[in-house]
Amino acid sequence: MQATTFAVVITSYNYRDFVLEAVESALSQTRKAAQVIVVDDGSTDGSDILLRERYGADERVTLISSVNGGQLSAFQHGVNAARADVVSFLDSDDCWGPEYLARLGELYDVRADIDFVFSDLQLFDQQNRVMRFHDRAVDLGYTAISTYVLTQWYGAPTSALSMRMSWALQVLDLPGSFQRTWRLSADNCLVFGCSVLGAHKYYLPTGCVRYRIHGKNGWWSNQSPRIEYVNKMTSSALIRHYAARVGMGPECIEFTKLEFMTKPQPPWSETKRYARLVMMRRISPWRKWERALNILRRGWRLRG
């Protein structure tokens, strides 16, 4: 069995105070990455100069400087330079514990069917708590219908996301106009895109991702009703774009039970979500309840 290779893509904009810590955390992994790619997205705070002084002669690090185009553009530059089996993304204000890639590798090495893995996060700096999808590892199977109908987000912020290279290339193959929309929160493109296009997803709590909360967080520090509204509208449009690429439409809800069957041990929250989806089908009320109860019974038997 050949070991999975990893490319780390670090995107940075005006995070001079944090970026070296992020890069060092990627270089200090017990399971070494084949590439560590740092994309400076037109920083004006001297980040680019600092990176070149520190890593310009370091063969382990690939430095890319670009005109400021936003996070989606930086993702695209980084992935286009990657040559590995799996891409792991890291924001330049976050960092990883040394076992992160090792934990991911243990899964990717033995599960060729897994396309996309996301982890829990330890918040630090201005907050101290854990963000998690569930309290155990979860094989989520396929999530296209739940994402398309409910705009369900099966993922985590950027620094806890990884996917096989073929999927990174697929989801980042977007029209140039999308770069303006996704200057921030472009992890939505990774998360929604992989779900709708049909990636097999897995949640793996590693305890290794440190997510910094500070005054300059693009998404975290700009939450408001207006921002939430705009994000939901743009996310809906993004999902429709990916759905159009694979010919997905409202009729996909007819296959809700089949999608649920791809989840070997669904959390109870996921079971209830799919029962809700069945209740949205255009069939008689009696059949809705019958099929929803079938999903609930199956989920109860399989719950972890």
Side-chain angles (χ1 to χ4, degrees), residues 170-230:
Q170 284 186 67
V171 298
L172 293 175
D173 182 15
L174 291 166
S177 60
F178 279 53
Q179 291 181 358
R180 294 191 298 273
T181 304
W182 297 105
R183 290 184 61 84
L184 297 175
S185 301
D187 45 6
N188 282 330
C189 301
L190 306 176
V191 172
F192 288 138
C194 280
S195 282
V196 175
L197 295 181
H200 185 157
K201 290 194 167 186
Y202 196 100
Y203 169 66
L204 180 70
T206 65
C208 293
V209 180
R210 289 172 52 78
Y211 183 71
R212 191 189 308 267
I213 304 301
H214 58 95
K216 295 182 180 179
N217 288 83
W219 170 78
W220 195 277
S221 61
N222 286 288
Q223 296 183 69
S224 69
R226 185 186 71 82
I227 294 296
E228 182 179 2
Y229 169 77
V230 171

Side-chain angles (χ1 to χ4, degrees), residues 82-301:
R83 301 291 182 270
D85 300 322
V86 169
V87 182
S88 292
F89 293 89
L90 177 60
D91 276 339
S92 60
D93 54 340
D94 299 333
C95 56
W96 293 334
E99 296 294 322
Y100 180 61
L101 293 184
R103 293 292 311 281
L104 294 181
E106 290 170 358
L107 179 63
Y108 279 116
D109 285 348
V110 299
R111 292 288 303 272
D113 60 317
I114 299 298
D115 304 308
F116 178 107
V117 179
F118 64 103
S119 178
D120 55 337
L121 302 99
Q122 174 64 57
L123 276 58
F124 74 108
D125 201 335
Q126 294 182 4
Q127 292 193 30
N128 183 19
R129 62 184 179 87
V130 176
M131 287 177 59
R132 58 170 64 94
F133 177 82
H134 198 63
D135 57 6
R136 61 169 172 85
V138 181
D139 184 341
L140 286 160
Y142 296 103
T143 56
I145 297 171
S146 178
T147 298
Y148 179 81
V149 177
L150 302 177
T151 321
Q152 185 64 35
W153 204 68
Y154 292 95
T158 301
S159 298
L161 300 179
S162 68
M163 65 199 67
R164 295 194 185 273
M165 176 65 71
S166 60
W167 284 97
L169 291 170
Q170 284 186 67
V171 298
L172 293 175
D173 182 15
L174 291 166
S177 60
F178 279 53
Q179 291 181 358
R180 294 191 298 273
T181 304
W182 297 105
R183 290 184 61 84
L184 297 175
S185 301
D187 45 6
N188 282 330
C189 301
L190 306 176
V191 172
F192 288 138
C194 280
S195 282
V196 175
L197 295 181
H200 185 157
K201 290 194 167 186
Y202 196 100
Y203 169 66
L204 180 70
T206 65
C208 293
V209 180
R210 289 172 52 78
Y211 183 71
R212 191 189 308 267
I213 304 301
H214 58 95
K216 295 182 180 179
N217 288 83
W219 170 78
W220 195 277
S221 61
N222 286 288
Q223 296 183 69
S224 69
R226 185 186 71 82
I227 294 296
E228 182 179 2
Y229 169 77
V230 171
N231 187 57
K232 286 186 179 298
M233 293 297 289
T234 52
S235 294
S236 179
L238 180 67
I239 289 169
R240 290 197 302 271
H241 171 82
Y242 286 121
R245 281 171 51 176
V246 293
M248 177 182 286
E251 68 281 356
C252 70
I253 201 169
E254 300 298 317
F255 306 107
T256 296
K257 182 179 178 181
L258 291 176
E259 183 166 286
F260 181 70
M261 297 283 283
T262 69
K263 305 170 189 295
Q265 199 177 28
W268 186 238
S269 58
E270 188 76 343
T271 296
K272 291 189 292 184
R273 184 173 295 119
Y274 276 78
R276 175 188 169 196
L277 279 167
V278 166
M279 294 297 292
M280 297 169 69
R281 292 184 59 186
R282 293 182 178 180
I283 54 179
S284 69
W286 181 83
R287 287 188 176 275
K288 287 182 182 181
W289 281 108
E290 178 188 40
R291 295 180 185 187
L293 287 171
N294 285 339
I295 283 178
L296 291 169
R297 280 195 291 265
R298 176 180 172 81
W300 184 259
R301 289 197 308 270

